[in-house]
Amino acid sequence: MVRPKVYITRKIQDEAVARLSVTCDVSMWNEENIPVPREVLAENIREMDGLLCLLTDTIDEAILTNATKLKVISNYAVGTNNIDTAAATKRGIIVTNTPDVLTEATADLTFALLMVTARRIVESSDHLRKGEWKTWSPLLLTGMDVYGSTMGIIGLGRIGGALAKRAAGFGMKILYHNRSRKTEAERNLGITYVELETLLKESDFVCIMTPYTPETHNLIGAAELSLMKPTAVLINTARGGIVNEEALYHALKNRTIWAAGLDVFEKEPISASHKLLELPNVVMLPHIGSASINTRNKMAEIAVENMSRVLANQPPLYQVN
Ligand code: NAP
């Protein structure tokens, strides 16, 4: 029997590669920190039955033109905005992702980023390390209260719901906005549905948890930021393009909002000269939402399982299209 050919676009866990190699001929871009060049991907995809890719790989119409044998694109992420799903569907290619296993780790990171930003923890640590700490002072590095404040979650899906549970433990009032109403979650989590405008006006912490789609592109721009309280904090661990970075820069610089915590950016990776890095009131992380060892292992397992199932003519665990 002819074994299916699979291409993996980055060095992933050995165990995952070994599992896939039992049934498939696997080739891999064997680099940990360098994305596969587009021309290498375009060349390799010609012969492949399966592609296991990351959110750093743009799988668009042009790449798929070469993919004449491809049956499955298994994305090592829950978000699939890096893939032209419509173009894949048109070619009969199944797109899969890795939701659920990363929900709690991403909610943890989101809440951690919220606390770090609210209580100025990075600035405080830098202050100490630079030898600037002279004395305890009533006004030194004062931040925003987290306990008992109001959280507004935009996008109450898996991660948004997990974030709400954490917020409840901190005695927070929880507002949410979603394209569809989640009445069961309202009952179970004691959360309140509001229009986006109300959420922006009333929340102390605005947390973005939607996918990145044409509808959510620049969902938060200058007009939306101007509705937020001057004491409010914006947290984005979803995708960069949901927030207009230029508008955010001005809101933070002019202090029309108090601070922001970002794990994602319009164009990743950002350079050390990125404009937002000039500002003291923003905490920026290199897209590490799901980056716990266990979670990343599980994501690899699910990505491999999705791939193996489709290549064995079975339904994958998680199908996007
Ligand atoms: P999910 O369960 O699909 O939840 C997304 C929620 O957003 C759904 O409730 C959806 O509403 C809502 N939504 C979609 N479009 C909307 C719009 N235009 N306006 C308002 N709400 C909208 O996804 P998830 O597993 O929670 O993941 C959410 C996103 O987080 C992913 O797509 C990914 O981009 C991001 N993420 C980032 C990291 C990281 O490393 N920083 C890690 C994991 C995930 P419906 O219920 O109506 O569909």
Side-chain angles (χ1 to χ4, degrees):
M1 202 181 93
V2 183
R3 282 159 58 91
K5 289 184 178 167
V6 167
Y7 191 68
I8 305 178
T9 61
R10 196 77 66 87
K11 181 171 167 43
I12 63 167
Q13 287 83 343
D14 291 341
E15 298 74 15
V17 180
R19 255 197 71 209
L20 205 50
S21 302
V22 174
T23 52
C24 304
D25 288 345
V26 177
S27 6
M28 182 163 80
W29 175 252
N30 207 9
E31 294 280 352
E32 216 175 304
N33 292 310
I34 306 170
V36 61
R38 206 169 149 77
E39 60 280 10
V40 174
L41 177 59
E43 194 46 45
N44 274 283
I45 209 169
R46 285 178 196 283
E47 295 303 313
M48 297 299 152
D49 300 286
L51 177 71
L52 195 156
C53 59
L54 312 186
L55 54 86
T56 47
D57 305 312
T58 301
I59 312 298
D60 54 15
E61 182 89 53
I63 285 281
L64 291 177
T65 310
N66 287 354
T68 48
K69 293 176 63 191
L70 201 65
K71 295 182 187 68
V72 50
I73 302 169
S74 170
N75 212 35
Y76 188 126
V78 59
T80 48
N81 52 289
N82 57 307
I83 300 169
D84 185 340
T85 308
T89 308
K90 204 170 68 190
R91 289 173 167 77
I93 301 168
I94 291 176
V95 178
T96 68
N97 66 348
T98 64
D100 293 329
V101 288
L102 47 60
T103 295
E104 302 300 343
T106 309
D108 281 348
L109 188 280
T110 305
F111 208 83
L113 183 56
L114 181 155
M115 295 199 72
V116 161
T117 309
R119 295 298 305 271
R120 301 172 66 181
I121 288 171
V122 176
E123 252 183 293
S124 299
S125 172
D126 287 349
H127 178 80
L128 180 150
R129 282 174 177 271
K130 284 188 217 148
E132 291 167 357
W133 184 25
K134 302 293 178 235
T135 178
W136 187 93
S137 163
L139 303 181
L140 180 67
L141 290 159
T142 47
M144 291 295 161
D145 282 325
V146 175
Y147 191 88
S149 62
T150 299
M151 177 184 279
I153 302 173
I154 306 175
L156 197 92
R158 288 169 288 239
I159 303 171
L163 186 61
K165 287 185 191 149
R166 284 151 180 79
F170 277 73
M172 292 168 113
K173 176 179 172 185
I174 307 162
L175 308 175
Y176 82 98
H177 178 75
N178 201 68
R179 74 178 163 187
S180 56
R181 196 80 188 252
K182 306 276 174 180
T183 44
E184 202 184 318
E186 286 173 30
R187 275 195 303 277
N188 295 343
L189 300 170
I191 59 179
T192 307
Y193 175 85
V194 288
E195 289 304 324
L196 182 59
E197 188 175 325
T198 309
L199 182 146
L200 293 167
K201 282 182 180 162
E202 294 186 5
S203 301
D204 299 306
F205 297 95
V206 172
C207 300
I208 300 168
M209 287 311 345
T210 67
Y212 183 43
T213 64
E215 292 117 63
T216 62
H217 172 72
N218 281 0
L219 182 70
I220 304 299
E224 290 72 25
L225 290 163
S226 73
L227 296 173
M228 289 172 62
K229 300 179 192 180
T231 50
V233 175
L234 180 79
I235 302 293
N236 186 10
T237 58
R239 284 292 182 267
I242 302 169
V243 177
N244 181 308
E245 267 171 25
E246 187 64 26
L248 179 63
Y249 173 83
H250 290 291
L252 290 167
K253 191 169 169 68
N254 301 328
R255 299 267 174 178
T256 63
I257 70 168
W258 194 73
L262 308 172
D263 185 43
V264 288
F265 303 90
E266 280 174 352
K267 202 166 178 307
E268 297 178 4
I270 62 165
S271 73
S273 62
H274 193 284
K275 225 164 130 178
L276 280 168
L277 285 168
E278 291 166 17
L279 305 174
N281 51 342
V282 55
V283 177
M284 295 158 80
L285 303 175
H287 202 147
I288 56 163
S290 64
S292 79
I293 296 166
N294 276 337
T295 296
R296 288 286 167 84
N297 287 344
K298 285 185 200 152
M299 287 166 69
E301 264 174 48
I302 301 288
V304 163
E305 184 66 21
N306 281 334
M307 169 78 75
S308 305
R309 284 180 182 228
V310 177
L311 294 176
N313 293 318
Q314 290 164 14
L317 296 175
Y318 299 100
Q319 185 163 345
V320 176
N321 58 347

